[in-house]
Amino acid sequence: MGDTRTRYCLGWTRACCQDNGAADPEREKRWAELFEQLDLNKDGRIDVNELRTGLAARGFLRGNVEEQIVQAGDTNKDGQLDFEEFTEYLRAHEKELRLMFHSLDHNNDGHIDLGELRQCLHDLGVDVSVEQASIILQSMDKDGTMTIDWKEWRDHFLFNPIHNMEDIAHFWKHSLMLDIGELLTVPDEFSERERRSGVVWRQLMAGAMAGAVSRTGTAPLDRLKVFLQVHGSKTPRMNLWTSLSRMVQEGGLRSLWRGNGINVLKIAPESAIKFMAYEQIKRLMRGNKENASLQVQERFIAGSLAGATAQTIIYPMEVLKTRLTLRKTGQFSGMGDCAKKILLNEGVLAFYRGYIPNTLGIIPYAGIDLAVYETLKNAWLQRYSVGSPDPGVLVLLGCGTVSSTCGQLASYPLALVRTRMQAQASVAGAPKLSMVGQFKHIVSQEGVPGLYRGIAPNFLKVIPAVSISYVVYEHMKRALGVGS
């Protein structure tokens, strides 16, 4: 880190020398043209909405950057930027950007190349592959030289309110952590600095809170899915509406949230166990190559193993969730009573019924989810990216929704068999079958479509779950002091 500090100080000296407050007609003209383009109603001021519209037209779709820019430059606190405030903000921001540029330009040749980019990120605790660094470089490289000059760097980050290299590393690295009620996705990557500073646990806490609100909001659809998975084959005409009516008639509107308590309760331990297991598995996979970055297929393997580890430890809670979701009014007084009755009547092994199909389901889900997500995101970047390795919130949400849906589609038959096995002891007349036996029974009695019973409410909850999760996650990150 000593070398990094030295380069930072040298960069600061060069930046100050090159930007000493002297008038620059070309720069002043460029700022005036920018202000005129962004001042849509021509009143001599730019507000948040005008800035948002103007940046969107330039391909910038990145959360709440407009508010951050206006707040940073608004010296008279009127909620708008006049020309003087606008130019003063750009002057200060360009000075910061010039400092960062020179700290990256190790050989002082006026260009940042692939090696300098990777070295800087490595110094900040973020290791990227040559392919990943190339994507970052290409997003800023306008002239095709595979290097970045000062103008390319400035134009790329001019309307991104970053203040240091740590902000840039975070901007390049992180994606969204969304919970749609099927926490099988590969965990996010964190640097050593983030682990030491506590950012990891704050981010995991934000994700857990987002998951809790998201699952609570979509709990009726989740209970409807489980109800159809277990009881849907008994009544040929049972559909979404008739199932919903039966549940409300039996236990009232509150019954639609049965099982949600333990579904929310298991988020935090599952996330923490999965993260810790993921870090240990990555360390084992890297071996002596401590700073090597994992490829997509390696992340998939590590993520699947971490998911299997977390599921093994918290699986009894999954069984309790299914039983509580399906319970009739007055059957159990709570989680403790449910666990006690299962233990007394069925034994310890009952808490691991359906474990094998559940664990097997992690592989197609996590693999397809990650592969589709990376493929869609990279395809969008290559075709539509307007100078940024960050495709924006809407694109990431769309990629996450499609990839999760594909993952669920592939793993759903295993999820159905798991739920049937978890519930079979509590359903009168249900055959006590193994995983293979359940598959054969479902196909012989209901045909192949029977393996997808209950998938409609499962798909219906994806978009609202992702939307709720994202909104709450972003608010929680701000409240906990985790940078966007």
Side-chain angles (χ1 to χ4, degrees), residues 90-295:
L90 290 183
R91 181 175 289 107
H93 190 48
E94 281 198 13
K95 185 177 284 188
E96 289 178 329
L97 291 175
R98 193 179 288 277
L99 166 63
M100 288 181 264
F101 179 82
H102 286 308
S103 69
L104 269 168
D105 182 17
H106 300 170
N107 59 7
N108 303 330
D109 67 348
H111 294 82
I112 299 167
D113 59 30
L114 198 63
E116 289 171 329
L117 180 63
R118 291 188 72 201
Q119 183 60 48
C120 173
L121 290 174
H122 171 74
D123 292 342
L124 293 167
V126 180
D127 293 298
V128 297
S129 65
V130 174
E131 293 78 10
Q132 291 169 325
S134 296
I135 291 174
I136 293 171
L137 199 68
Q138 287 167 2
S139 69
M140 292 180 275
D141 178 25
K142 301 297 183 185
D143 56 12
T145 60
M146 281 305 287
T147 61
I148 308 163
D149 61 25
W150 157 242
K151 287 187 177 180
E152 289 170 330
W153 174 269
R154 177 200 66 200
D155 293 346
H156 185 79
F157 288 111
L158 188 61
F159 289 107
N160 200 321
I162 52 178
H163 304 290
N164 50 52
M165 287 308 302
E166 286 83 357
D167 288 347
I168 287 185
H170 193 276
F171 167 76
W172 278 332
K173 181 167 65 73
H174 281 294
S175 58
L176 297 169
M177 295 175 64
L178 297 178
D179 171 34
I180 60 159
E182 307 283 347
L183 269 177
L184 301 176
T185 48
V186 176
D188 204 356
E189 299 273 359
F190 295 96
S191 68
E192 185 62 34
R193 178 176 302 191
E194 288 170 319
R195 285 193 285 271
R196 287 199 303 268
S197 67
V199 167
V200 172
W201 299 109
R202 292 200 297 274
Q203 195 139 334
L204 288 175
M205 189 182 299
M209 286 298 297
V213 177
S214 173
R215 292 185 185 199
T216 301
T218 57
L221 286 169
D222 192 60
R223 186 170 187 235
L224 190 57
K225 175 194 74 173
V226 175
F227 191 86
L228 284 167
Q229 284 178 330
V230 176
H231 299 299
S233 60
K234 297 179 180 179
T235 308
R237 294 184 179 180
M238 185 175 285
N239 55 33
L240 293 176
W241 179 249
T242 56
S243 300
L244 193 64
S245 300
R246 279 183 58 177
M247 289 190 294
V248 172
Q249 286 172 6
E250 192 277 326
L253 283 174
R254 287 185 62 186
S255 70
L256 297 178
W257 276 265
R258 281 179 185 166
N260 183 59
I262 196 162
N263 198 29
V264 167
L265 196 63
K266 69 186 178 71
I267 295 173
E270 186 176 18
S271 299
I273 294 165
K274 189 195 305 184
F275 168 71
M276 290 186 288
Y278 185 59
E279 291 298 304
Q280 294 302 317
I281 293 165
K282 282 197 305 180
R283 193 169 286 118
L284 288 172
M285 291 178 71
R286 283 174 177 151
N288 296 327
K289 301 176 182 177
E290 189 175 338
N291 294 321
S293 58
L294 296 183
Q295 301 299 318

Side-chain angles (χ1 to χ4, degrees), residues 291-421:
N291 294 321
S293 58
L294 296 183
Q295 301 299 318
V296 171
Q297 62 271 23
E298 292 173 320
R299 284 190 66 211
F300 158 57
I301 294 170
S304 296
L305 291 173
T309 303
Q311 283 286 298
T312 300
I313 295 171
I314 63 99
Y315 192 76
M317 298 177 78
E318 294 277 1
V319 175
L320 282 175
K321 179 243 177 182
T322 298
R323 296 292 182 90
L324 288 167
T325 299
L326 293 169
R327 77 182 187 271
K328 291 183 172 61
T329 303
Q331 186 176 356
F332 304 117
S333 60
M335 296 179 205
D337 182 50
C338 179
K340 182 180 177 181
K341 286 181 177 176
I342 292 173
L343 186 62
L344 291 174
N345 297 329
E346 304 169 52
V348 176
L349 291 178
F351 288 104
Y352 279 88
R353 282 212 179 101
Y355 172 77
I356 293 176
N358 181 75
T359 306
L360 291 175
I362 291 174
I363 298 171
Y365 184 95
I368 292 172
D369 184 32
L370 180 62
V372 173
Y373 181 82
E374 294 284 346
T375 301
L376 290 175
K377 186 176 77 169
N378 290 334
W380 191 94
L381 285 171
Q382 290 172 13
R383 188 164 184 177
Y384 301 107
S385 177
V386 184
S388 173
D390 173 19
V393 169
L394 294 178
V395 175
L396 289 178
L397 283 174
C399 293
T401 302
V402 173
S403 65
S404 175
T405 301
C406 292
Q408 289 186 66
L409 194 62
S411 63
Y412 193 82
L414 286 162
L416 175 72
V417 169
R418 173 203 66 193
T419 304
R420 293 269 181 102
M421 292 178 73

